[in-house]
């Protein structure tokens, strides 16, 4: 297993450190974050300090729970836990993300990174469970390939009530194989004003900003080139777009494929709730796809579609 930390597209997955206590206590004390979790909120800084110290001292490959810290732009935004069975071949996974960073693909990105490490280490099966009302976590697990294997009715006593649990499982044989030489394509979308486009994709559509040109990791011109010539990467799950500011920008068409019609409806509700103008709400089109359409500030058409069940 490679050494920590690991850098993903937008995140750093690492060990916990003493400096994480305040941020850890803050997001774990949020009642919306703890609603479907097993701990009692709020979490004091004393208790958070004890937990973080234990996390930092744990051995990643040893049986028991190991907690990974998830960092974005130098800030702790969540954690992913792996509970390794004594036999070293089975594990459980759990995850928590601070509320301001939910719905932007960060949890999926972090859990995928951790699962890569777990399966590379020889684990055969990873299990997960969640409160049946926690639809966001259930959908995340399904996006990553977990099978829903059952429902335990009134199985867990949490926060003063009996709750149903959904059960999920994922086998190493079902986990994606190593990426081929050409592993992604990032369309270059021409825009007239980068700041306006970033606000649209980030604030209305929930994309994360992978880099802007002024970020050293995104520079590939000479040192005397402008700090911000107008290029940025925006990312949400499998969609990676490069936005490039040019004077003569013209609209194009982007096709965003999703797995199910339910996910199309979920994106419609999310984006409409954020204030995005939907040009054409979801419906079955004459060519058989369940699709909605919206336009970015430059008139680029975003088609979001899935095959009807």
């Amino acid at each position: 297993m490679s050494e920590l930390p690991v850098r993903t597209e937008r995140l750093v997955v690492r060990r916990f450190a003493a400096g994480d206590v305040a941020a850890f206590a803050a997001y774990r004390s949020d009642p919306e974050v703890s609603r479907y979790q097993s701990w009692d909120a709020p979490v004091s800084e004393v208790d958070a300090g004890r937990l973080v110290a234990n996390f930092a001292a744990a051995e990643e490959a040893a049986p028991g729970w190991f907690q990974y810290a998830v960092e974005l732009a130098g800030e702790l935004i969540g954690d992913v836990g792996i509970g390794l069975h004594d036999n070293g071949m089975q594990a459980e996974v759990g995850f928590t993300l601070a509320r301001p960073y939910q719905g932007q693909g960060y949890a999926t990105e972090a859990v995928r990174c951790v699962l890569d490490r777990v399966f590379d280490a020889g684990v055969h099966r990873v299990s997960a469970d969640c409160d049946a009302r926690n639809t966001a976590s259930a959908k995340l697990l399904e996006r990553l390939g977990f099978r829903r294997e059952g429902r335990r009715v009134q199985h867990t006593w949490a926060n003063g009530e009996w709750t149903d649990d959904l059960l999920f499982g994922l086998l190493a044989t079902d986990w994606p194989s190593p990426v081929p030489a050409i592993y992604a394509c990032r369309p270059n979308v021409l825009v007239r004003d980068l700041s306006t486009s970033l606000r649209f994709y980030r604030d209305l559509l929930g994309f994360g900003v992978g880099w802007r040109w002024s970020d050293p990791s995104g520079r590939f011109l000479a040192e005397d080139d402008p700090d911000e010539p107008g290029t940025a990467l925006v990312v949400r799950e499998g969609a990676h777009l490069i936005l490039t500011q040019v004077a003569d920008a013209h609209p194009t068409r982007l096709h965003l494929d999703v797995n199910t019609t339910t996910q199309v409806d979920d994106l419609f509700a999310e984006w409409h709730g954020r204030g995005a103008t939907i040009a054409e709400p979801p419906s079955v089109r004459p060519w058989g796809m369940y699709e909605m359409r919206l336009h970015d500030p430059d008139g680029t058409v975003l088609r979001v579609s899935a095959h009807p069940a």
Side-chain angles (χ1 to χ4, degrees), residues 110-124:
V111 175
R112 181 181 288 114
C113 172
V114 170
L115 290 175
D116 279 339
R117 295 180 69 77
V118 168
F119 287 125
D120 284 348
V123 168
H124 173 70

Side-chain angles (χ1 to χ4, degrees), residues 9 62 71 80-81 88 102 104 129 137 154 165 189 201 208 222 228 259 264 285 288 297:
E9 185 76 53
E71 176 186 309
V80 178
Q102 294 177 5
Q104 301 175 60
D129 63 70
S137 289
Q154 295 189 20
D165 296 341
V189 181
Y201 283 97
E228 185 61 85
N259 293 311
V264 176
R285 307 294 169 162

Side-chain angles (χ1 to χ4, degrees), residues 226-276:
D227 288 336
E228 185 61 85
T231 300
L233 172 71
V234 293
V235 178
R236 175 156 179 174
E237 296 160 81
H240 295 199
L241 308 176
I242 293 180
L243 309 179
T244 299
Q245 181 174 307
V246 295
D248 57 347
H250 57 83
T252 185
R253 301 169 73 87
L254 299 173
H255 197 146
L256 306 183
D257 290 317
V258 296
N259 293 311
T260 67
T261 57
T262 299
Q263 290 174 326
V264 176
D265 290 335
D266 289 344
L267 287 171
F268 170 74
E270 176 191 335
W271 292 348
H272 182 70
R274 289 174 180 260

